[in-house]
Amino acid sequence: MTALLEARNLKKHFKLAAKWPFSTPPKLHAVDGVDLVINAGEAVGLVGESGCGKSTLSRLVSRLLDPTEGQLLLEGEDIGRLSTARFARSEQRRLIQMVFQDPTESLNPLFSAFDLIADPARMLLPRAGKAELRRRVEAAAQAVNLPLALLERLPHQLSGGQKARVGIARAIVVEPRLLVLDEPTSALDVSVQATVLQLLDQLRRERGIALLFVSHDLNVVRLLCSQIVVMYLGQVVERGPSTEIYANPAHPYTRALLSAIPTLRPGKLERIKLEGDPLSPISPSSTQCRFCGRCPIERAQCRTSMPALRELAPGRQVRCHFAEEALTGLPAAV
Ligand SMILES: Nc1ncnc2c1ncn2[C@@H]1O[C@H](COP(=O)(O)OP(=O)(O)OP(=O)(O)O)[C@@H](O)[C@H]1O
Ligand SMILES: [Mg+2]
């Protein structure tokens, strides 16, 4: 089965200012060889600490950024090779839509809710007439439970939850196959968060829209997503079914991350506090594990060889030489 979206060895290296005139500028490896698979109708959670590259990866997947290297396949076709400008004019543009973090900041304050929702349809479906546009906007508003009476309002006349709904309606008005959501609920209060999450899950179930969901809230990710991708310093360190990863995290970073969830498995997974400083994402070594300096099970081998993302069990991958040890508490068989 062809995946809806697949990233292969996807990289985004940002060039920084050179220290000296004529010297080679250093590069910040924000996304550094990411492999990712999103199947139709699947919710994939993307987690990891601040600065690990989640937003950059989201923007690459949404084709708002050009990759430095690697492939990005949409239903088997490499869309990573089209420039962002060409992709913006392509037929496939409407299939991947992004929902941004803060609805207040991402919505133009001078546009009514109707125009905000209609805007992507006007751009991506230029042949749609006025009546068709109104039909689409109203259908999208209904799908996100936004009362039609609110469509003439400006963003400042809407509540946070209503603005979040406008943001989602804008994204679904062009009937995408994949929604990329970069912390879509972090600006909302808890009760509104819950209804927006239910809405996203409903869109996935009823319309088969796949979700790439970035969040710092690991409980929310567990509820919404069947697959989890854990990133650390630009790389995927673990990925697989969320039930398995939450029950038995294999990478020492995932273990530390999940141990910080206050309500998860009380008494079972002891809080692991990471000591030490993270390595720099600027021109990082390719012969060292990126988790060095903070890893509780670090060995000499970790400082001389970068672990590959390898299959731990069917559908379950991890980037650690000693993952079996983290999993069982016993040294890995050598
Ligand atoms: N345009 C840019 N130029 C240079 N560096 C950048 C640029 N955008 C992002 N970065 C760097 O890339 C790295 C990844 O940033 P990114 O925003 O993707 O992280 P994140 O995982 O989304 O973090 P957060 O959880 O805080 O939102 C960071 O070190 C950041 O400073
Ligand atoms: Mg971010």
Side-chain angles (χ1 to χ4, degrees):
M1 186 181 73
T2 313
L4 173 64
L5 187 115
E6 188 174 351
R8 292 191 190 151
N9 193 28
L10 200 63
K11 295 185 183 175
K12 182 68 193 180
H13 295 172
F14 292 109
K15 234 182 238 173
L16 303 178
K19 250 187 173 169
W20 308 101
F22 310 114
S23 67
T24 321
K27 286 181 185 155
L28 189 147
H29 294 215
V31 170
D32 211 11
V34 161
D35 293 324
L36 182 78
V37 174
I38 304 173
N39 290 310
E42 185 174 70
V44 177
L46 183 58
V47 300
E49 70 190 359
S50 188
C52 70
K54 303 179 297 297
S55 293
T56 307
L57 180 59
S58 306
R59 295 170 70 82
L60 286 173
V61 166
S62 315
R63 292 303 285 106
L64 300 174
L65 266 182
D66 286 328
T68 309
E69 211 181 300
Q71 286 182 307
L72 189 66
L73 308 174
L74 178 63
E75 292 175 326
E77 194 181 325
D78 192 355
I79 56 164
R81 277 189 292 184
L82 298 175
S83 68
T84 46
R86 271 194 59 200
F87 183 73
R89 291 193 301 272
S90 75
E91 283 283 301
Q92 290 142 319
R93 170 68 280 177
R94 72 173 184 86
L95 299 179
I96 307 174
Q97 293 293 310
M98 190 153 179
V99 177
F100 294 95
Q101 179 172 10
D102 189 339
T104 307
E105 277 193 6
S106 60
L107 300 178
N108 186 331
L110 304 176
F111 278 26
S112 67
F114 181 94
D115 285 327
L116 285 165
I117 300 172
D119 196 36
R122 283 195 183 108
M123 275 191 299
L124 299 172
L125 305 166
R127 278 190 289 272
K130 238 179 158 183
E132 159 77 357
L133 209 60
R134 177 155 288 275
R135 188 193 63 73
R136 276 183 176 272
V137 170
E138 292 185 354
Q142 268 159 353
V144 301
N145 304 325
L146 185 75
L148 298 186
L150 300 183
L151 285 177
E152 297 316 317
R153 293 203 188 168
L154 294 171
H156 78 269
Q157 296 166 322
L158 297 170
S159 73
Q162 289 162 347
K163 277 185 273 197
R165 285 168 202 279
V166 171
I168 297 170
R170 251 171 88 74
I172 63 167
V173 74
V174 290
E175 293 173 27
R177 306 282 314 279
L178 172 65
L179 280 189
V180 178
L181 304 121
D182 193 356
E183 302 190 49
T185 57
S186 60
L188 303 173
D189 81 53
V190 180
S191 61
V192 182
Q193 257 188 38
T195 53
V196 171
L197 293 168
Q198 274 166 3
L199 168 65
L200 291 172
D201 193 47
Q202 190 184 344
L203 290 172
R204 185 188 66 74
R205 281 185 284 109
E206 291 176 3
R207 301 185 172 214
I209 301 177
L211 309 173
L212 177 62
F213 183 81
V214 178
S215 180
H216 282 282
D217 189 332
L218 294 155
N219 276 325
V220 161
V221 171
R222 184 164 57 137
L223 287 175
L224 189 70
C225 303
S226 58
Q227 294 281 320
I228 306 283
V229 176
V230 184
M231 282 184 79
Y232 187 82
L233 272 180
Q235 295 181 325
V236 173
V237 293
E238 185 158 4
R239 80 176 208 216
S242 51
T243 43
E244 289 177 32
I245 292 184
Y246 276 80
N248 232 345
H251 194 282
Y253 174 66
T254 319
R255 289 184 76 78
L257 194 69
L258 297 187
S259 78
I261 305 177
T263 54
L264 186 70
R265 308 171 77 208
K268 281 200 174 168
L269 193 58
E270 212 174 291
R271 174 84 198 255
I272 303 165
K273 242 184 133 213
L274 294 176
E275 311 274 340
D277 293 321
L279 296 173
S280 166
I282 300 170
S283 310
S285 159
S286 57
T287 56
Q288 184 186 29
C289 174
R290 296 269 159 95
F291 198 36
C292 276
R294 293 174 93 194
C295 179
I297 60 167
E298 184 179 324
R299 307 274 170 78
Q301 186 187 346
C302 310
R303 292 185 284 274
T304 53
S305 102
M306 158 91 72
L309 190 66
R310 64 186 169 95
E311 191 119 324
L312 191 68
R316 176 105 193 254
Q317 294 178 317
V318 66
R319 189 189 283 276
C320 173
H321 295 305
F322 303 105
E324 287 78 2
E325 187 172 328
L327 212 51
T328 59
L330 298 170
V334 183

